[in-house]
């Protein structure tokens, strides 16, 4: 009897899975800073102490050979993300609602073979990638969300 109950529970769970909302696995641009904790868990990362700078806070997550830095406004919104390490992160969860706009701009950008640097400027988001094997870097930011007195050059 118990096996039947367990089997029925498993089947019910599998049938319900497609109807469950997907959870955001990473802090996304324009999202609240509380999503940094979700990042840490999703990436199995170690969270370093937050660094407060003039006009923003940087929260750093370290996992394996990669470091992700999330830049947070004084009002608690993620305005930029930067990374470095052995690989580029999946930008889908990092860009959140900006991902569609980024992918569309990426498709329209001319291909430049042999360059180790790329910049994609969409209407509301800018994504830059550069580096070489085992030292890949990049950043993504929303210019409209950058706090007053802070420059995009501060996102490193």
């Amino acid at each position: 009897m118990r096996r039947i109950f367990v089997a029925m529970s498993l089947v019910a769970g599998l049938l319900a899975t497609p109807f469950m909302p997907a959870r955001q696995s990473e802090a996304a641009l324009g999202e609240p800073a509380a999503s940094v904790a979700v990042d840490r868990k999703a990436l199995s990362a170690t969270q370093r102490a937050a660094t407060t700078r003039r006009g923003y806070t940087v929260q750093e997550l370290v996992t394996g050979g990669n470091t992700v830095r999330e830049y947070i406004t004084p009002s608690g919104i993620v305005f930029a993300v930067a990374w470095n390490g052995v690989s580029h992160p999946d930008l889908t969860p990092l860009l959140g609602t900006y991902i569609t706009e980024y992918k569309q701009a990426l498709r329209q950008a001319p291909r430049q073979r042999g360059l180790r640097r790329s910049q994609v400027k969409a209407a509301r988001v800018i994504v830059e990638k550069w580096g070489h094997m085992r030292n890949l870097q990049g950043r993504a930011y929303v210019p409209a969300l950058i706090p007053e007195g802070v420059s995009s050059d501060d996102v490193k």
Side-chain angles (χ1 to χ4, degrees):
M1 186 68 158
R2 182 167 184 217
R3 285 185 181 173
I4 293 173
F5 178 73
V6 170
M8 290 180 73
S9 297
L10 180 62
V11 169
L14 290 173
L15 290 174
T17 301
F19 302 106
M20 298 175 83
R23 288 191 56 190
Q24 190 83 8
S25 63
E26 306 216 12
L29 291 175
E31 295 292 318
S35 57
V36 173
V38 176
D39 273 2
R40 185 183 53 74
K41 208 172 204 179
L43 296 171
S44 298
T46 303
Q47 186 170 345
R48 292 189 179 164
T51 305
T52 303
R53 305 228 168 105
R54 183 181 47 86
Y56 62 96
T57 301
V58 179
Q59 183 60 64
E60 194 170 77
L61 302 174
V62 179
T63 178
N66 294 322
T67 301
V68 175
R69 289 170 302 285
E70 298 175 357
Y71 293 75
I72 303 164
T73 66
S75 62
I77 302 297
V78 177
F79 70 90
V81 178
W83 61 88
N84 65 288
V86 296
S87 63
H88 290 295
D90 177 13
L91 293 179
T92 302
L94 289 175
L95 296 181
T97 59
Y98 298 97
I99 190 64
T100 305
E101 187 178 320
Y102 164 71
K103 286 182 177 180
Q104 185 176 25
L106 182 63
R107 279 192 297 271
Q108 294 173 352
R111 300 265 184 215
Q112 296 179 335
R113 298 180 60 82
L115 292 181
R116 292 185 176 156
R117 182 175 196 83
S118 71
Q119 181 183 55
V120 176
K121 287 185 179 182
R124 299 178 301 157
V125 66
I126 297 173
V127 179
E128 300 172 338
K129 295 180 181 181
W130 64 92
H132 53 83
M133 188 186 304
R134 303 198 52 80
N135 184 21
L136 298 173
Q137 301 174 47
R139 66 184 184 166
Y141 59 94
V142 179
L145 296 178
I146 295 176
E148 190 174 319
V150 177
S151 165
S152 63
D153 293 335
D154 295 324
V155 179
K156 301 176 187 174

